[in-house]
Amino acid sequence: METRRILLDGVATTVTREDEELVVPDGRRIPMDEPSHLPPVQPSKIVCVHLNYESRRAEFRMELGPAPTFFHKPTTSLNAHGGEVVRPPRCRYLNYEGEIAIVIGERCKQIAPDEADDYILGYTVANDYGLHDFRDTDAGSMLRVKGSDTLCPLGPGLVTDWDFHGKGIQTRVNGHVMQDGNTDEMIWDMRYLVADIARTITLLPNDVILSGTPANSRPVEPGDVVEVEVEGLGILRTFIVEGDMPVREDVGAQPSASEEVISTAFGGDWEFRGIRAPRRG
């Protein structure tokens, strides 16, 4: 079953998808792409794994440790299907990362991986955008990189009873395929991620875990249309726009284009290999 949250008559409303229509609790039926969408869940926290797809690990030429590492996106970064993703003025390196989001259904603490299914409500599509202009600040927490406003689109709906094995995940920019992966290349699967986090952090209903991205995350530009499609979960579409509020220059770390920024934005140690980072267009 797939549920969505939409704005209906100005009110946040949960609806059920049936074929190409959305069914409102009062029985009304509306075309699936007609209403404005909201994030399909309202989490208390959003936890994300750093590297979890073999293609992405190989792209960065990294050897991973025996367990995953995580970071956090604040709930103010939430966005939805059809939403605008803002690249602030003076920033150049806004990257897409097509992902699958795990949604928790029951309070969860200290469980084994083989128990995790009992605590997972369902799954949705995510795009873990990163503003890499701030890669040099926040001491690795990536608070500004991954936590800035609009950088966590989820949707279009929440799907229950979905088997995550062997599912394709693809990211397209203006119709061109940029990422093309499969969940079978995940190093740590969905159940492991839930159990690992829940050892010391209590997961609550509707909490979200982002499960990683395949290779080939690259910068996008204002005017681009980005789609993430996951087999069985649907298509999450977002629109890149130029922000109208510049990053203040009188306080805090400023956007930069250091070797670290360029290397991460273009998927490898470009500067260290003596290769000039490619530019789109």
Side-chain angles (χ1 to χ4, degrees), residues 24 50 248 280:
V24 184
H50 278 107
R248 293 189 66 98
R280 296 179 57 225

Side-chain angles (χ1 to χ4, degrees), residues 152-206:
C152 189
L154 301 176
L158 171 68
V159 178
T160 57
D161 298 322
W162 181 75
D163 183 352
F164 63 79
H165 294 93
K167 297 300 192 295
I169 176 170
Q170 188 176 91
T171 303
R172 299 183 291 269
V173 178
N174 303 325
H176 301 289
V177 175
M178 302 300 293
Q179 291 182 294
D180 198 5
N182 191 285
T183 55
D184 282 351
E185 66 167 296
M186 293 176 72
I187 298 165
W188 296 285
D189 71 16
M190 310 294 191
R191 300 183 183 110
Y192 187 100
L193 297 178
V194 172
D196 187 0
I197 295 166
R199 291 183 305 154
T200 59
I201 298 173
T202 299
L203 294 170
L204 301 176
N206 294 324

